[in-house]
Amino acid sequence: MVQPSTPRRIVVISDFQDGDGFAPDVPPVEEFERQWRSGERGQPLQHTVNTDDFKVEGGYIERLPLACIKAGLVDTAEVWTHWRNESPPPPDERQAPVMIRRAFQMNAPQPPFSSNDMLGHINAFGAPDILCVWGLGVDEAILSACEKSYKIYNSIDHPALRIPPDASRHFDLIITGAEWQSREVRDRHPDMKTAIMPIGPEFASDTTFYPIDSEKPYDIIYVAAAQAYKRHDILFDALAKLPRSIRTLCVFGYGELSDELRARARNLRIDVDFVGPPGVPFAEVNRLMNLAKIGVVCGVQDGAPAILTEYMLAGLPVLANSELSCGLQYITPQTGLMASAAQFHDGILAMLDRASTLAPRQVVLDHWTWPHTVEKLRLLMRT
């Protein structure tokens, strides 16, 4: 009798963490391994899925692993996050058997994060075939335990590497958002393979974001966290120089500055409406984008924001800050314009004047949706 093969698995470890406080005494790896083997802490996902049963949709964390399943690189996917105390929630299986989410108890708050819980799981069930680590990363012990995995890192942010050398040296591929980031990686690791292929804008989903035939009461939309690095001040200062007839919509998923930004808009007497936080579902984000004529990206020290191609897939051309650190490669003559902070008001007028003549969605469909990028990834993993 032929035994069924073990499903090939991709695991994405994000740097998201939740839960209150930290347990005073974290059990050793061996105790966590015993709990995982006994079933006390749950079981691995063991199903091979029919790729016709799902679409590559969701946020940038989900789209790469789902694309890898669709492309036949793996059979199942898991997203791992971190939990600050001794009682992580049960796995989120709403997307099972395609993908599940697990939260693991952290050892301590300092990045790169360590977790005896995560190590116990790996010891009990084995390392994934592909391991993706985003953001602040995990410690060397976890990477060493996944020695046989194909390991990919992306900082998702302005710095090319947000992890120390003893962690970064373990990766097979480091994804960057711009050539200067690739140079920074090679300065640390001269032989490291890099690819300018930021997971947010490159693994774009045309079924998550798409045009809707509707009225466009807003001239501008900015979908960005209410945080300082997103530089809403550049947009608001530009709007203060323009006719007050220009209407803007700001959508916040999260962030601590939402009240301050609302107050600033009132003080400047500019016409800005706000949604969130908290954030809204992707379908609602798509609907809101379709209420505007153009999208803007104002940040400077920012990673290549996923919203760049998400706006474009919704049919919106994009005005980007010309000083944006990563992602300007997506601004082409058919997708949008760039303008400095000082000239952002002129850029808005020029973009509004040209918006109906551009074809941003088609450019993304031709170059940056997930089927294109997952094939690039397949080739990189083979070489």
Side-chain angles (χ1 to χ4, degrees), residues 234 320-323 338-345:
I234 291 174
N321 188 335
S322 58
E323 299 301 314
M338 293 177 267
S340 67
Q343 298 301 316
F344 214 70
H345 59 295

Side-chain angles (χ1 to χ4, degrees), residues 231-239 298-300 321 340-342 344:
R231 296 302 305 272
H232 289 80
D233 59 299
I234 291 174
L235 172 61
F236 289 4
D237 289 346
L239 292 172
C298 304
V300 178
N321 188 335
S340 67
F344 214 70

Side-chain angles (χ1 to χ4, degrees), residues 16-305:
F16 177 78
Q17 54 179 282
D18 205 349
D20 298 322
F22 282 90
D25 296 303
V26 178
V29 173
E30 293 75 17
E31 173 58 19
F32 281 114
E33 181 178 349
R34 184 197 67 75
Q35 292 178 21
W36 281 111
R37 289 188 184 277
S38 70
E40 294 175 51
R41 300 187 78 80
Q43 296 292 334
L45 183 64
Q46 292 288 354
H47 301 284
T48 300
V49 301
N50 184 339
T51 58
D52 294 331
D53 290 343
F54 69 93
K55 295 179 180 179
V56 177
E57 294 185 335
Y60 67 82
I61 295 293
E62 295 93 355
R63 294 197 300 253
L64 182 147
L66 292 177
C68 286
I69 298 175
K70 278 285 192 183
L73 296 177
V74 293
D75 301 307
T76 62
E78 298 189 11
V79 174
W80 292 0
T81 59
H82 308 276
W83 196 260
R84 299 188 192 101
N85 59 43
E86 68 270 27
S87 302
D92 181 344
E93 298 185 355
R94 285 176 292 178
Q95 291 177 275
V98 180
M99 182 166 64
I100 65 172
R101 292 173 174 268
R102 298 185 190 275
F104 293 85
Q105 182 180 346
M106 305 168 68
N107 294 358
Q110 297 81 17
F113 301 126
S114 58
S115 171
N116 288 354
D117 190 4
M118 195 175 289
L119 280 171
H121 183 282
I122 294 167
N123 290 350
F125 302 126
D129 297 87
I130 302 173
L131 176 68
C132 300
V133 178
W134 307 152
L136 296 172
V138 292
D139 73 345
E140 189 173 19
I142 292 169
L143 297 171
S144 296
C146 297
E147 179 183 2
K148 295 182 180 179
S149 306
Y150 189 92
K151 294 179 284 297
I152 304 170
Y153 174 77
N154 188 196
S155 83
I156 317 288
D157 210 340
H158 169 74
L161 293 162
R162 297 165 71 198
I163 51 177
D166 63 355
S168 58
R169 68 189 181 92
H170 286 269
F171 287 95
D172 300 288
L173 171 67
I174 292 183
I175 293 175
T176 66
E179 177 56 36
W180 69 266
Q181 285 191 326
S182 295
R183 289 195 300 270
E184 283 197 355
V185 172
R186 291 192 295 270
D187 286 344
R188 181 188 291 187
H189 302 295
D191 297 325
M192 181 68 69
K193 185 186 299 183
T194 64
I196 302 173
M197 195 172 71
I199 62 170
E202 286 271 351
F203 283 86
S205 169
D206 63 317
T207 56
T208 303
F209 302 100
Y210 51 87
I212 298 172
D213 186 13
S214 64
E215 296 295 321
K216 294 185 178 293
Y218 295 100
D219 298 286
I220 303 161
I221 186 170
Y222 191 20
V223 181
Q227 294 186 308
Y229 79 103
K230 291 298 185 180
R231 296 302 305 272
H232 289 80
D233 59 299
I234 291 174
L235 172 61
F236 289 4
D237 289 346
L239 292 172
K241 299 174 184 177
L242 294 172
R244 293 303 188 266
S245 58
I246 289 182
R247 298 190 64 198
T248 299
L249 178 63
C250 286
V251 180
F252 304 137
Y254 60 93
E256 68 281 357
L257 298 181
S258 60
D259 290 342
E260 180 179 319
L261 291 170
R262 285 175 163 90
R264 180 174 172 80
R266 287 194 299 270
N267 292 338
L268 289 172
R269 297 182 179 177
I270 53 179
D271 191 345
V272 184
D273 290 336
F274 296 87
V275 173
V280 296
F282 291 114
E284 179 64 3
V285 174
N286 186 67
R287 186 190 74 83
L288 293 170
M289 288 197 292
N290 274 274
L291 298 179
K293 296 167 185 161
I294 67 171
V296 296
V297 172
C298 304
V300 178
Q301 293 191 345
D302 195 356

